[in-house]
């Protein structure tokens, strides 16, 4: 398993202290039999749900705008194929870790509460980047961490407008476009 570094633990402890000052409505996924039960039990109550372990989601779920998902430790949502998790509330997580796994879909398309999205939340592959683009609302900001994301011979399709920001010259998206052509006949790479 992954080891939590001192920096990660400090981040989590600082966030938890801040959160506890703001609200008494903090709970963990451990207090529920599964993710759907947590969502239905919490309902519209203003709450923060800490996802601190890999949590399988086998049915479509909508997270209300009153519920903050806070990913800590090994916390992830493993979304089964054919399942969509629609997140309308805030989300808190370290930028460089994967939050969403599985063949299902996570959607933020109606969510204006998240200031920036990170590729790493979906993984670091071209498919993960495409899943991110499919999930975000129009006008979202995608932040690229200071590393290189290398994608091989994959076309990325963006159906919505977004802003791409990085951390200087060390934040890179790289494509090997060998053999790709524009279906519109404008062979200019990607």
């Amino acid at each position: 398993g992954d080891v939590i570094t001192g920096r990660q633990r400090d981040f989590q402890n600082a966030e938890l202290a801040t959160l506890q000052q703001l609200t008494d409505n903090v709970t963990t996924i451990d207090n529920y039999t599964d993710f759907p039960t947590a969502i239905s039990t919490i309902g519209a109550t203003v709450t923060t749900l800490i996802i601190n372990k890999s949590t399988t989601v086998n049915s479509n779920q909508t997270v209300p705008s009153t519920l903050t998902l806070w990913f800590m430790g090994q916390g992830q949502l493993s979304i089964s194929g054919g399942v969509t998790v629609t997140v309308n509330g805030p989300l808190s997580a370290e930028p460089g870790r994967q939050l969403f796994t599985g063949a299902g879909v996570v959607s933020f398309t109606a969510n204006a509460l998240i200031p920036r999205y990170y590729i790493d939340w979906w993984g670091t592959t071209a498919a993960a980047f495409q899943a991110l683009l499919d999930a975000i609302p129009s006008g979202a900001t995608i932040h690229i961490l200071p590393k290189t994301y290398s994608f091989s011979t994959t076309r990325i399709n963006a159906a919505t407008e977004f802003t791409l920001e990085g951390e200087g010259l060390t934040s890179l998206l790289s494509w090997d476009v060998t053999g790709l052509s524009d279906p519109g006949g404008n062979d200019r790479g990607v």
Side-chain angles (χ1 to χ4, degrees):
D2 293 337
V3 175
I4 296 177
T5 66
R7 181 175 167 226
Q8 291 169 321
R9 190 175 323 279
D10 291 345
F11 171 82
Q12 291 172 351
N13 289 340
E15 274 206 342
L16 184 57
T18 300
L19 185 62
Q20 287 174 335
Q21 290 173 358
L22 297 175
T23 179
D24 291 328
N25 293 327
V26 179
T27 188
T28 69
I29 194 68
D30 294 325
N31 293 328
Y32 304 93
T33 56
D34 55 23
F35 190 72
T37 301
I39 299 300
S40 65
T41 303
I42 294 167
T45 304
V46 175
T47 303
T48 296
L49 177 62
I50 297 173
I51 310 291
N52 57 351
K53 64 182 181 181
S54 183
T55 303
T56 301
V57 183
N58 290 320
S59 61
N60 293 337
Q61 297 297 314
T62 299
V63 177
S65 62
T66 54
L67 179 59
T68 298
L69 297 180
W70 184 14
F71 291 85
M72 294 181 70
Q74 303 298 314
Q76 294 182 323
L77 291 182
S78 178
I79 305 168
S80 299
V83 171
T84 299
V85 174
T86 303
V87 180
N88 294 321
L91 183 146
S92 179
E94 288 186 67
R97 59 183 302 253
Q98 188 169 358
L99 307 180
F100 310 113
T101 64
V105 173
V106 63
S107 174
F108 294 90
T109 55
N111 190 327
L113 299 174
I114 298 174
R116 63 186 41 87
Y117 296 82
Y118 298 88
I119 296 171
D120 300 69
W121 287 353
W122 281 262
T124 57
T125 65
F129 189 53
Q130 184 65 62
L132 162 65
L133 292 177
D134 293 342
I136 61 175
S138 182
T141 297
I142 298 171
H143 187 87
I144 301 174
L145 296 174
K147 62 183 178 181
T148 299
Y149 299 85
S150 296
F151 306 138
S152 177
T153 60
T154 301
R155 183 172 303 282
I156 301 295
N157 299 302
T160 187
E161 293 182 13
F162 62 90
T163 299
L164 201 56
E165 69 178 20
E167 297 182 28
L169 297 176
T170 59
S171 297
L172 301 170
L173 295 177
S174 171
W175 274 270
D176 173 2
V177 294
T178 307
L180 286 183
S181 63
D182 187 336
N186 301 315
D187 292 333
R188 55 176 201 263
V190 177

